[in-house]
Amino acid sequence: MNVKNKLNIILYFIISIFLLSCSKKANNSIVIFASDSLKSPLSDIVNNYESETGKKVEVSFNSSGKLAEKIESEFYTDLYISSSIKEIDKLKDKNLLYNDTIKNILKNKIVLIIRKNSGKDISSFLDLANNSIRQIAVGESMTSPIGYYTEEILHDLGIYNLVADKIIYAKSTREIVAEDDTEVIYGIAVAKNSSKKQEAMDFINYLYSEKSITVLTYYGFDVIK
């Protein structure tokens, strides 16, 4: 056997082992693409789900838009959870989601507050981009779930780049007085390229369990039934 044939055989075995490992990974795990703002509650829920069912779940957290782009680029995922309904609709229009699995599952609010008698003319979140607004306090991304949530919503509103330099990160967001709020609806759906549609649906059903609802409520989310 010449050297070339030996190298071809070695390469064949390497590829076979790699494909086998990928196949096992796909068969054993549910893959979820989820909005960054769900990192804390969904991580807790996934831990509970794995402990109770023995099934494995892998979650990739990022902005809803970036995850939608990955799905469009045919990255494998079983389940997509988005804080932006427009991203769900976009993927639906491109026939990348199972229509019968699309649900509005969660809602939350991003609250805008202003100091009393500040004299600032603010009536909506879009006004934060005005030059008269110099500082915006939000929950710190590294320590507070609301930080992830706020940043993603500002991106969805198209003003994050305009206000990023004004943001001051705070570690506490408990003492607030509402002046304006925007309700945000989270959508969920099984991706068309999923090989585990039923397993993904089982996880969706688990999100409606009493234990999961308790976790989501703790982090400030309301479940849409």
Side-chain angles (χ1 to χ4, degrees):
M1 183 180 295
N2 59 39
V3 174
K4 183 178 180 180
N5 287 338
K6 286 183 178 179
L7 290 175
N8 286 338
I9 291 174
I10 292 172
L11 181 61
Y12 172 79
F13 278 112
I14 291 174
I15 293 174
S16 297
I17 292 171
F18 174 76
L19 292 176
L20 181 61
S21 65
C22 290
S23 175
K24 288 181 178 179
K25 181 178 180 180
N27 288 334
N28 292 333
S29 302
I30 302 170
V31 180
I32 300 175
F33 283 0
S35 164
D36 262 337
S37 53
L38 288 170
K39 189 169 186 177
S40 294
L42 193 57
S43 295
D44 290 351
I45 290 170
V46 164
N47 287 337
N48 292 339
Y49 184 79
E50 290 181 332
S51 297
E52 293 176 23
T53 67
K55 298 178 181 179
K56 297 296 182 182
V57 180
E58 295 183 13
V59 188
S60 177
F61 293 103
N62 210 322
S63 70
S64 298
K66 288 181 180 179
L67 293 173
E69 289 175 0
K70 284 190 173 184
I71 293 174
E72 290 181 59
S73 299
E74 299 184 352
F75 279 70
Y76 183 86
T77 188
D78 297 298
L79 200 57
Y80 175 52
I81 311 177
S82 172
S83 66
S84 174
I85 295 300
K86 68 180 182 181
E87 300 296 347
I88 293 281
D89 291 339
K90 181 171 66 175
L91 295 177
K92 176 183 176 182
D93 291 342
K94 294 184 177 181
N95 198 33
L96 294 173
L97 304 175
Y98 283 107
N99 291 346
D100 61 331
T101 68
I102 297 174
K103 298 174 180 290
N104 291 339
I105 190 169
L106 299 172
K107 62 181 178 180
N108 205 336
K109 288 184 178 181
I110 178 172
V111 178
L112 172 65
I113 64 171
I114 60 174
R115 185 176 298 169
K116 189 175 181 179
N117 301 322
S118 69
K120 302 294 184 182
D121 185 17
I122 302 176
S123 60
S124 76
F125 287 92
L126 296 177
D127 292 329
L128 295 176
N130 294 344
N131 291 333
S132 61
I133 306 302
R134 297 183 179 181
Q135 293 182 333
I136 303 168
V138 301
E140 187 174 355
S141 296
M142 297 302 293
T143 60
S144 171
I146 197 172
Y148 292 111
Y149 189 74
T150 302
E151 288 186 15
E152 183 165 3
I153 298 310
L154 292 175
H155 276 294
D156 289 341
L157 291 173
I159 63 172
Y160 181 79
N161 290 337
L162 299 175
V163 304
D165 291 339
K166 305 177 183 182
I167 292 176
I168 299 174
Y169 292 106
K171 293 185 178 180
S172 174
T173 55
R174 293 181 183 275
E175 297 181 2
I176 59 174
V177 180
E179 295 291 342
D180 186 28
D181 61 73
T182 297
E183 187 171 70
V184 181
I185 304 298
Y186 284 68
I188 192 169
V190 179
K192 273 285 184 73
N193 68 349
S194 171
S195 63
K196 299 181 287 296
K197 182 181 179 182
Q198 185 55 56
E199 289 91 335
M201 289 299 298
D202 290 342
F203 187 83
I204 291 177
N205 291 333
Y206 186 78
L207 291 175
Y208 288 98
S209 68
E210 184 176 348
K211 192 169 186 177
S212 296
I213 291 174
T214 298
V215 173
L216 290 163
T217 301
Y218 174 79
Y219 284 100
F221 293 89
D222 292 323
V223 176
I224 301 173
K225 297 182 179 181

